[in-house]
Amino acid sequence: MQLSLSAHGDVVLRMEPCAERAPPTRAGLIAWLDEHGWGAHRINEEALERVLREGADASARMVLILAHAVDAEVQVQVARDAMQATLAIVPAQGGAPATEAMVQAALAAAGVVAGIDAEAIAQALKGPGAPPQVVAQGVAPVDGRDAQFLELIAAVPDRTPRVGADGRIDYREHDGNIVLVESGALLMRREPATEGTPGFTVLGQTLAARPGRDEPFAPQLSGAAMSEQDPNLLVAAITGQPVLVRAGMTVEPVLRVAEVDVAQGNIRYDGTVQVEGDVAQGMQIHASGDILVGGTVDGALLNTQGSIIVQGGVIARARLHAEGAVQARFAEVSYLRAGTELTVRQNALGCELHALGRITIGAEVPRRGRLVGGGASAMMAIAAPLIGSVDGGLTRLVLGVNPVLQARLQQAREDEAAQRERGASLEKLIAQLRAHGDPKGVLERAQASLADAQASAARLQAECAQLQQQLDLAREARLEIGVALEGAVDLSLAHQRLALHRGLPAGSVRLDSKGTLVHVDAKGFSEPLQP
């Protein structure tokens, strides 16, 4: 037997008849190829099997290609989204190795022209046969940033409700201290939206970036104006209290008075009212901003679109209405309603308390603060150290209801149904115009009206979903007992009513996972409460 190399690099085996020839073996033939330096060639298995089968015959004569010279193979795979190209190199078997030129040709054939990584290609060529390696990478577009409004004044009250990730409405309220600015003070800086940075695929296609949503300062920001030197800077036009609003800040004028009595007269003010002393019996304060009272509210009426903070007490059938928060040191036989949180720092006795968020009693006296008599209702929580009294009358508590949200949800549902009905009518009209012609040119206006109806319905549907999410939080409402509940307490939680005529220790009353009213004590032990 004789081995030789053909002009194409193939290993040729020639076998002539021979009187004495040992039967060939696979190991022997492969070792023979290695001795000649052709061990890396790809074995021709069919030829090898024939040699093993017929080579033992002394009269056998054959000429076979025993092994082939195979060049390295370069494979390029482009991802479906064209954001990546991978390179796989099948090593040469006795043939020519892979070269950078081969890789570049394969990339070009696959249409890869951008994001090519020369270092990755070099690394792949050093280790042929390794797993596929990324050699071209697209770049995703970077969307533009929306316009931003940066506050330049700290501790500014914010009357814009924000919905948090958990679905709760978060009202940022101040602590009762008025922040005042002088005319010309810097209030807010606006950072315009950015265009974003386009990206590209490995095939060279440009990926457009979404430009940020630009938004100017809100129009008619009372008490504030854009700077003459910088239109992106908001400054105070008057001296007063800065208040954060959507896309801007207003400055409310502040009215300061020593006290409100018959001599002073009732107050109606478009801004914030600060009373250094008391508000006397029968007097009224109506404001668009906050109302801050340094003394006591004695049987007066306070009504505001902002918050009410009373450093003293609220007594003698006083009435406080605020769209924001309400705070007082103590309250007796009075009516307090807050659009967000209601806080009585000591005791609330015989009052009607209502808040759309939370009612907190006794923060200043955590072991002695009392909520006794009258009624209290809140969406999420009522908290007090001591609730009810064995010597007092009935204390009525309502949790997990929000009439304002319920009314808004009902209205939103009705508006959505009206828009969908409007859309259905417009669809019928459009179908008739397309079928029978449009001599008066109504079709285009009808299509615009349909798009408006569909957009309005979608917006209202999203609003309904958000409002329903808020109302669903009623299942998490709870009565928080700091020390004890005693006396007669009538509790309604998420429309489940329970008359409590026995004491309960510190803990909370809530709904469990099965919807049953339970008392959970300070150690976490749960006990069902029977009606």
Side-chain angles (χ1 to χ4, degrees):
M1 289 191 296
Q2 181 182 1
L3 293 178
S4 62
L5 204 62
S6 73
H8 299 292
D10 296 329
V11 177
V12 179
L13 172 67
R14 289 182 173 82
M15 182 180 292
E16 298 293 338
C18 179
E20 297 180 0
R21 181 165 55 210
T25 64
R26 183 183 183 89
L29 290 171
I30 291 175
W32 195 20
L33 288 170
D34 285 338
E35 289 174 7
H36 285 76
W38 302 325
H41 282 55
R42 181 184 294 174
I43 300 296
N44 182 346
E45 294 293 341
E46 185 178 347
L48 180 62
E49 290 297 327
R50 183 179 174 187
V51 172
L52 295 176
R53 186 175 60 251
E54 302 178 11
D57 186 353
S59 63
R61 180 193 300 273
M62 63 185 76
V63 177
L64 299 171
I65 296 178
L66 187 60
H68 298 285
V70 180
D71 295 339
E73 183 180 353
V74 174
Q75 300 171 346
V76 172
Q77 181 71 39
V78 179
R80 180 173 296 182
D81 61 0
M83 293 301 289
Q84 230 178 40
T86 55
L87 171 67
I89 298 178
V90 180
Q93 291 180 284
T99 64
E100 184 178 352
M102 292 171 63
V103 174
Q104 294 293 348
L107 289 170
V112 178
V113 296
I116 297 174
D117 186 344
E119 184 176 342
I121 292 174
Q123 190 65 32
L125 290 170
K126 288 180 181 178
Q133 185 167 344
V134 176
V135 293
Q137 181 72 57
V139 174
V142 178
D143 290 341
R145 175 183 48 77
D146 293 346
Q148 293 184 328
F149 299 90
L150 307 179
E151 303 167 37
L152 303 179
I153 300 291
V156 176
D158 181 0
R159 299 196 183 123
T160 304
R162 302 177 180 181
V163 180
D166 60 357
R168 289 184 171 88
I169 295 180
D170 174 30
Y171 292 88
R172 292 167 52 194
E173 299 295 343
H174 58 80
D175 59 5
N177 297 319
I178 291 183
V179 177
L180 293 178
V181 295
E182 299 292 330
S183 177
L186 303 182
L187 300 176
M188 177 175 282
R189 177 172 294 281
R190 172 184 174 272
E191 292 188 353
T194 60
E195 291 297 319
T197 305
F200 59 84
T201 69
V202 297
L203 303 180
Q205 299 165 328
T206 299
L207 301 176
R210 181 190 66 82
R213 184 175 62 86
D214 207 14
E215 184 178 8
F217 281 120
Q220 300 178 344
L221 293 171
S222 61
M226 288 185 290
S227 167
E228 294 180 359
Q229 289 75 34
D230 185 352
N232 290 315
L233 193 61
L234 194 67
V235 299
I238 62 172
T239 296
Q241 179 189 22
V243 176
L244 191 65
V245 296
R246 175 173 173 77
M249 195 177 290
T250 63
V251 179
E252 296 178 348
V254 177
L255 174 64
R256 295 177 182 267
V257 296
E259 58 186 18
V260 178
D261 54 16
V262 175
Q264 167 66 47
N266 294 331
I267 294 176
R268 288 175 173 80
Y269 191 67
D270 187 10
T272 292
V273 176
Q274 184 172 17
V275 182
E276 302 292 344
D278 300 334
V279 182
Q281 179 73 232
M283 303 307 296
Q284 297 184 13
I285 300 177
H286 300 269
S288 63
D290 296 333
I291 298 176
L292 297 100
V293 179
T296 298
V297 178
D298 181 0
L301 168 63
L302 276 59
N303 184 40
T304 179
Q305 298 173 20
S307 296
I308 298 175
I309 294 93
V310 181
Q311 297 301 328
V314 178
I315 61 175
R317 303 188 185 281
R319 298 180 67 84
L320 277 60
H321 303 260
E323 293 185 15
V326 172
Q327 296 183 31
R329 185 180 181 190
F330 62 89
E332 296 179 2
V333 196
S334 295
Y335 180 96
L336 288 73
R337 177 179 290 275
T340 58
E341 311 291 319
L342 194 158
T343 303
V344 179
R345 299 190 297 276
Q346 293 185 0
N347 300 318
L349 308 176
C351 295
E352 290 294 325
L353 310 176
H354 304 280
L356 295 185
R358 176 186 176 92
I359 294 175
T360 303
I361 309 296
E364 284 185 359
V365 283
R367 303 296 300 175
R368 295 181 288 109
R370 282 189 175 272
L371 171 59
V372 177
S377 67
M379 173 71 175
M380 294 308 303
I382 297 174
L386 297 165
I387 300 174
S389 171
V390 292
D391 300 323
L394 177 67
T395 303
R396 294 172 287 102
L397 306 177
V398 179
L399 279 157
V401 295
N402 190 325
V404 173
L405 285 184
Q406 288 170 338
R408 286 173 55 191
L409 176 59
Q410 180 62 31
Q411 186 62 55
R413 284 174 173 169
E414 292 175 2
D415 292 344
E416 180 191 359
Q419 290 296 335
R420 294 200 181 281
E421 184 176 349
R422 175 187 170 211
S425 298
L426 287 166
E427 286 176 345
K428 291 180 181 179
L429 174 60
I430 291 170
Q432 290 175 355
L433 292 172
R434 286 174 174 168
H436 304 292
D438 181 27
K440 296 183 179 180
V442 178
L443 180 60
E444 185 175 349
R445 283 177 295 166
Q447 290 173 327
S449 297
L450 175 61
D452 176 70
Q454 291 172 336
S456 297
R459 176 182 56 78
L460 288 164
Q461 183 180 32
E463 181 180 346
C464 288
Q466 186 180 80
L467 290 169
Q468 187 61 58
Q469 183 183 19
Q470 289 285 315
L471 290 170
D472 288 344
L473 290 172
R475 289 188 56 82
E476 300 179 25
R478 62 189 60 198
L479 175 65
E480 299 175 5
I481 306 167
V483 177
L485 180 148
E486 53 192 13
V489 175
D490 190 347
L491 172 64
S492 175
L493 196 157
H495 303 290
Q496 292 196 39
R497 188 172 177 180
L498 182 66
L500 295 170
H501 296 289
R502 65 183 180 92
L504 291 176
S508 64
V509 177
R510 66 183 83 169
L511 293 177
D512 65 9
S513 59
K514 298 179 181 179
T516 303
L517 275 174
V518 297
H519 174 262
V520 181
D521 66 18
K523 295 182 179 180
F525 293 105
S526 177
E527 174 192 7
L529 296 175
Q530 300 299 327

